């Protein structure tokens, strides 16, 4: 689960020079990812101290999570929202600090409407930041205590849930120095990284759309063919009921002295002929 203290430890780490360097890039990417997503309901899961929905213009924007400061206090694995009720869900650095990232993704898929968008931010294990985590002397501290999720693995998870990636970018190519002056000296690596080693960025932000396959009933060809023949067959004209009744009624004698009697059949002789 996410960290439940009054202020998440990851949010505190974002206040350090190294964290501020990452947060500045991540916020810019989230702004670009959500500014053109329209609808009515948007949800940010986790990190309520930081507004990742600031560039979105939906009328209802909420933050959910176990931390204080969330409008909706809830477990990200069991969100108190109806199925297919949200247009946008943000997961900013949520999956790598959860022991059940698959459950969080499944819950996000459940509450999203068809064609809804999900935006995910995370640390890239195939980077200098991932190397720093592997050799860190303090693995219990943020962000090194997280289980960094690679882009290929995340893409497979999203594909299994019916999502289709429609945007994303990697950044923060500078080594994870603790001091701001060293991060500034290696700022040239941002442009160089985008060009020469784009998959080695320390952080990524991706966006995906929920695809819902339409159900189509396929009928056998012979059934379609018979229906087509019946549709083109001429319809026989039905005779009026009065004409049918007149034809079936027994012949009547003409009125003789004001009466009408049914005509009796002629008696047959012994040979079966009319007498």
């Amino acid at each position: 689960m996410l960290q439940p203290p009054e202020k998440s430890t990851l949010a505190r780490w974002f206040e350090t020079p190294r964290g501020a360097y990452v947060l500045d890039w991540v916020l810019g990417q989230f702004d670009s990812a959500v500014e053109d997503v329209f609808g009515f309901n948007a949800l940010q899961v986790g990190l309520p101290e930081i507004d990742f929905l600031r560039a979105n213009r939906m009328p209802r924007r909420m933050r959910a999570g176990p931390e204080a400061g969330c409008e909706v206090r809830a477990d990200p694995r069991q969100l108190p929202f109806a199925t297919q009720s949200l247009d946008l869900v943000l997961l900013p650095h949520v999956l790598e600090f959860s022991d059940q990232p698959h459950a969080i993704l499944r819950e996000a898929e459940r509450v999203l409407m068809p064609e809804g968008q999900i935006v995910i931010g995370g640390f890239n294990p195939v980077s200098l930041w991932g190397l720093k985590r592997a050799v860190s002397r303090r693995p219990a501290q943020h962000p090194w205590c997280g289980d960094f999720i690679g882009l290929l693995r995340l893409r497979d998870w999203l594909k299994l849930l019916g999502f289709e990636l429609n945007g994303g970018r990697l950044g923060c190519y500078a080594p994870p120095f603790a001091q701001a002056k060293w991060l500034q000296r290696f700022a040239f690596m941002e442009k160089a990284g985008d060009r020469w080693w784009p998959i080695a960025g320390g952080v990524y932000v991706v966006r995906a759309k929920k695809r819902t396959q339409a159900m189509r009933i396929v009928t056998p060809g012979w059934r379609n063919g018979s229906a087509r023949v019946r549709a083109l067959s001429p319809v026989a004209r039905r005779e009026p009921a009065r004409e049918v009744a007149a034809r079936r009624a027994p012949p009547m004698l003409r009125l003789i002295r004001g009466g009408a009697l049914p005509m009796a059949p002629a008696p047959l002789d012994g040979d079966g002929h009319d007498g």
Side-chain angles (χ1 to χ4, degrees):
M1 290 179 59
L2 295 175
Q3 299 294 327
E6 295 182 359
K7 188 173 185 179
S8 67
T9 308
L10 184 61
R12 289 177 180 159
W13 180 80
F14 278 133
E15 297 174 356
T16 66
R18 186 159 42 195
Y21 163 68
V22 172
L23 182 61
D24 181 66
W25 184 87
V26 170
L27 275 175
Q29 299 307 310
F30 268 89
D31 290 346
S32 299
V34 305
E35 64 181 357
D36 61 344
V37 180
F38 301 98
F40 297 96
N41 302 305
L43 178 68
Q44 172 185 323
V45 179
L47 290 175
E49 303 88 354
I50 306 168
D51 186 8
F52 290 92
L53 283 167
R54 63 184 187 180
N56 187 260
R57 291 172 285 180
M58 292 190 192
R60 185 174 300 167
R61 293 170 291 178
M62 303 164 285
R63 282 169 285 192
E67 304 97 331
C70 293
E71 291 90 344
V72 181
R73 299 290 294 272
D75 188 334
R77 300 169 301 178
Q78 298 178 348
L79 295 173
F81 298 101
T83 300
Q84 298 185 1
S85 60
L86 303 179
D87 302 284
L88 174 64
V89 174
L90 307 188
L91 299 177
H93 297 282
V94 173
L95 299 180
E96 62 258 64
F97 298 104
S98 170
D99 56 357
Q100 296 185 22
H102 309 84
I104 295 178
L105 273 180
R106 284 195 299 267
E107 187 67 359
E109 187 275 336
R110 182 188 68 82
V111 300
L112 268 176
M113 297 181 63
E115 304 300 313
Q117 305 271 0
I118 184 172
V119 184
I120 303 172
F123 289 94
N124 182 21
V126 187
S127 65
L128 294 175
W129 293 73
L131 180 61
K132 167 67 175 177
R133 173 183 176 273
V135 301
S136 177
R137 296 181 180 179
R138 298 179 178 180
Q141 294 185 354
H142 279 71
W144 321 120
C145 63
D147 183 13
F148 293 3
I149 300 172
L151 275 174
L152 294 179
R153 185 162 58 140
L154 179 61
R155 184 192 64 181
D156 291 341
W157 291 355
L158 292 171
K159 186 177 181 179
L160 287 174
L161 291 172
F163 286 99
E164 178 183 307
L165 287 175
N166 61 357
R169 190 178 176 186
L170 290 98
C172 299
Y173 294 93
F177 294 117
Q179 298 180 0
K181 64 179 182 179
W182 287 104
L183 290 170
Q184 293 173 1
R185 289 180 182 180
F186 282 82
F188 70 91
M189 294 185 66
E190 295 301 322
K191 293 183 179 179
D194 283 339
R195 182 175 182 181
W196 298 108
W197 51 89
I199 64 172
V203 189
Y204 58 79
V205 174
V206 297
R207 187 176 75 176
K209 178 179 289 188
K210 179 181 176 180
R211 296 295 190 185
T212 303
Q213 299 295 332
M215 183 175 64
R216 181 171 178 263
I217 300 177
V218 180
T219 57
W222 64 265
R223 185 175 299 176
N224 292 335
S226 62
R228 191 178 301 112
V229 171
R230 287 197 302 269
L232 297 178
S233 299
V235 179
R237 187 179 68 86
R238 297 183 62 181
E239 298 183 69
R242 184 177 301 174
E243 296 181 8
V244 175
R247 188 172 64 249
R248 291 181 179 178
M252 304 290 293
L253 292 176
R254 298 222 176 246
L255 291 177
I256 298 176
R257 296 179 183 177
L261 296 172
M263 182 183 294
L268 301 176
D269 59 12
D271 296 332
H273 299 288
D274 293 343

